Amino acid sequence: MLRSHTCGELRKSHVGERVTLAGWVDKYRDHAGIVFIDLRDRYGRAQIKFNLEDNSNTQKEARGLRHEDVVQVIGEVVARPDDMVNPKLATGEIEIRVNELKVLSKSANPPFLIDQPDLPNEELRLKHRVVDLRRPELQNAMMLRHKFTKIVRDYFDRHGFLDIETPILGRSSPEGARDYLVPSRVHPGCFYALPQSPQIFKQLLMCAGYDRYMQIARCFRDEDLRADRQPEFTQIDLEMAFVEQNDVLSVVDGMIAEVLKTLKGIDSPVPLPRYTHAEVMERFGSDKPDMRFGMELTDLKEIAADCGFGVFSKTIENGGRVRGLVAPQAAEKYSRKNIDALTAFVGDYGAKGLAFFRVNESGLDSPIAKFFTEEHQKAIIEKMGAKPGDLIFCVADKASVTSAALAALRNRLGKELELFDPKAFSCLWVVEFPLLQFDAEADRWVAEHHPFCYPHPDDIELLKTDPGKVRAQSYDLVVNGYEAASGSIRIHDPAIQQQIFDLLNIKAEEAERRFGFLLEGLRYGAPPHGGMALGLDRWVMLLCGYDNIRDVIAFPKTQKAADLLSGAPSTVDEKQTKELYLELNLPEE
RNA sequence: GGCCCUGUAGCUCAAUUGGUUAGAGUACCGGACUGUCGAUCCGGUGGUUGCGGGUUCGAGUCCCGUCGGGGUCGCCA
């Protein structure tokens, strides 16, 4: 070993010991006669000092050290004088009086400093990810990510789950996200698809009798990126046989309680609260509400239908909805200009306007207040539970637009008005999603979750009469407004599976061709089963308190799905494409 | 594909209404300094203002195009 201790572990109890440390030069303070260096590794930092009297040659060499040089030092742990203790450092009570110095590797001048006060722009950080990964924030994220997966693996192991790997090279399936494809050399013209999730394979494992499965699985989806979406990401994937919905939710309730307790010291309720999809859509306008704060939506149908404001009354007449929310004590905080910005903001979600009222002692103050009688104003205030100083926002539109716009507005106002503790965790289940959604453009039904989702037992008959009303035995776990997990009870009956394929307009021949291996698995004695997948990257992001998943992934990709470090994706030699029988057909410049 | 933000020294930023030789802090280089911990003090090097056009007597600044990065809508079973 090139070191006897790490840079973070030395304490007063080590005083007098001769130690060998190795690490990176974090900071240097050269006083000519004495040189201080903060030596860094992932365990922490320690101050090493080079005194002229101790070893003049070593001291001279130390004066030439610069940021990010890698060195090994041998010296004695000494206590710092009382007035020289650095309370900011865990090792601040001691320092190492160095006799011997070995430069293991001299660093070129780094593109940015590890602890510079303003973070360099992300493009530079991604290009020089090796340097970036030395930053304590990223090191903490990687360490927390490791602890998280360890807790999860141990938890599922204790509960009898088997960790089984599924293929990365699979077959392309219809529906769902765009696949990443891998051309086959051995089968000219054929392609593998990288898995969007191990969905079908884990169902087959259930059929095969591996009744509790889990895997930390890499998944790939060739869709546009977001702050919380990467083209390759990691799921904690699990599946259980001989279970009902409540059994799956209970197992994960336990896992989450353990994770939050161990990593954050938080006691989370067991079981976690459960809400139906219909309820959260009505109360929050979103299927992933951030419940760290209230500000629920209010329906204003009766008042809107009766009032003199044409935009409201006509919307109701045409079958739309008028809904609103109350921003507490925001009347003074938002100028007309601020509100115009909010109006533009909800415009992104399809809202054609944003009505607002400032609440005062006598009623409502607004450019449109004149369209509302004193009774209407009182009714609005009462219905919405508003108080003087509050600011009311309303959207009149078709139902889906009022939901999307107000949900986005609610999230934005919640942040801007600091209505919640950013360190809090709010976890909840949303259950009973609709099974299907009608795609007007394609003129057909599409699966809301995926085509293997078991319908709610009370709604099986509706499949024939009113498919849009069928609820699924599916569930999402929502954490602080993020979809943190998703799953369902699966169909284990080939006849019902066939019925769903029919509804989705997947022909028997096509279903056989593309999912034949699943149907085949279901044919020879399939146990009732269900499971879910948790978004590992999102969980780590939330546990770290970060707002994008790139900061919890060692080597993430940019919004254009490029790896700035390695230069992927790249062109390849013609020899390679020839071997794969591929010819490029690039668009004209 | 749409909308928005963004690109100036190695890094973080500034530069008035379009107007002199594009500045500061930090890093880096040289010098001083034996108790610093964002060390301090003195001096110095460092610029294709992402790239390409255009308008103008004059462009970091205005216009058009383009490339990169970020946010978001669509998209993401």
Side-chain angles (χ1 to χ4, degrees), chain A residues 12 47 53 57 68 136 146 165 171 173 189 220 228 230 236 245 347 355 362 376 383 391 404 418 488 501 571 573 585:
Chain A
K12 226 169 181 172
Q47 174 166 284
E53 294 125 33
N57 285 338
E68 302 313 311
H146 164 80
E165 289 174 279
R171 74 171 292 158
S173 64
F220 307 84
D228 64 347
Q230 283 272 304
I236 297 163
Q245 176 168 305
S362 54
H376 283 136
K383 180 116 201 240
L391 185 53
E418 298 177 348
S488 63
F501 283 154
T571 56
D573 293 341
N585 180 18

Side-chain angles (χ1 to χ4, degrees), chain A residues 298-307 326 357 359 362-364 372-386 392 394:
Chain A
T298 308
D299 181 84
L300 293 172
K301 183 177 182 183
E302 287 78 18
I303 302 161
D306 192 43
C307 76
V326 179
F357 305 93
V359 183
S362 54
L364 299 176
F372 296 84
T373 64
E374 205 169 305
E375 287 70 38
H376 283 136
Q377 297 194 9
K378 272 192 184 138
I380 290 173
I381 291 170
E382 194 188 339
K383 180 116 201 240
M384 302 190 80
I392 294 173
C394 299

Side-chain angles (χ1 to χ4, degrees), chain A residues 111-127:
Chain A
F112 53 88
L113 297 183
I114 303 306
D115 71 337
Q116 70 179 48
D118 296 300
L119 216 50
N121 80 54
E122 196 166 358
E123 187 177 357
L124 193 79
R125 288 175 47 206
L126 291 171
K127 232 172 235 164

Side-chain angles (χ1 to χ4, degrees), chain A residues 451-463:
Chain A
F452 318 117
C453 200
Y454 209 107
H456 195 286
D458 298 346
D459 296 350
I460 299 281
E461 286 310 306
L462 285 173
L463 279 173

